[in-house]
Amino acid sequence: MPNTARWAATLTLTAAAVCGPLGGSALATPAHATQTAETRTVTSQAHATSAHATSAHATPALAPSGLYAPSALVLTTGHGETAATVTPERAVTLNCAPTPSGTHPAAYDACAELRAVNGDFDALTLRDGALCTRQFDPVVVTVQGVWRGKRVAYERTFANECVKNSYGTSFFAF
């Protein structure tokens, strides 16, 4: 059951992170764009039978909102040794394109860290001067979503909260 809850939370937060910005005026298609889409559809169907061509009509497609690959991540954390056995205690969203946003407490810094290591979560290393106890209270972090247009799924277990927060400067600190 905890794994089902994790997937439900991940899917819900990913959908909100990816689809959230597409509301209101972002969904509206200007009249000239709709007309252009219809013109292209009719032109591309000119070789079809006349009955099919006359019944065809264009459905306006959503135009890309920019020339960037999407980067929307859902990060979860919970106490335990593996994601399969842990109930998520906290989840945040992180959108890095076109501008940093989401529920991550330091979205701008977290996105900058990820860009610096080209999205390689394992390349985020222990911060210099971090002092943590050797107490073993494992914390699992999962990352699900899309980074620069590619699907990512990542899991990492840290010895305790202090160690988790010491990696990078802000990505795992949520």
Side-chain angles (χ1 to χ4, degrees):
M1 186 66 181
N3 202 22
T4 304
R6 178 179 299 282
W7 279 105
T10 299
L11 289 173
T12 301
L13 291 170
T14 301
V18 173
C19 299
L22 298 177
S25 63
L27 293 175
T29 304
H32 70 281
T34 304
Q35 187 177 17
T36 305
E38 290 173 0
T39 304
R40 273 187 261 132
T41 302
V42 172
T43 303
S44 66
Q45 295 176 349
H47 299 292
T49 63
S50 62
H52 179 69
T54 57
S55 66
H57 63 289
T59 303
L62 293 177
S65 56
L67 299 175
Y68 59 88
S71 293
L73 303 171
V74 177
L75 292 78
T76 64
T77 186
H79 284 83
E81 294 188 22
T82 65
T85 60
V86 171
T87 301
E89 297 169 1
R90 180 162 165 83
V92 296
T93 58
L94 180 63
N95 301 315
C96 293
T99 57
S101 63
T103 59
H104 193 287
Y108 183 83
D109 294 335
C111 289
E113 277 184 66
L114 278 182
R115 282 189 205 101
V117 296
N118 201 22
D120 181 5
F121 305 112
D122 286 323
L124 297 172
T125 58
L126 189 62
R127 186 173 63 233
D128 289 336
L131 300 173
C132 294
T133 64
R134 293 183 181 222
Q135 173 188 2
F136 187 69
D137 185 16
V139 176
V140 177
V141 173
T142 63
V143 180
Q144 305 278 332
V146 179
W147 174 255
R148 293 188 175 167
K150 294 183 181 175
R151 176 86 172 93
V152 294
Y154 177 79
E155 175 182 340
R156 186 168 184 175
T157 303
F158 296 94
N160 57 47
E161 282 282 335
C162 178
V163 175
K164 174 184 78 80
N165 294 337
S166 302
Y167 272 78
T169 55
S170 61
F171 182 76
F172 291 119
F174 63 93

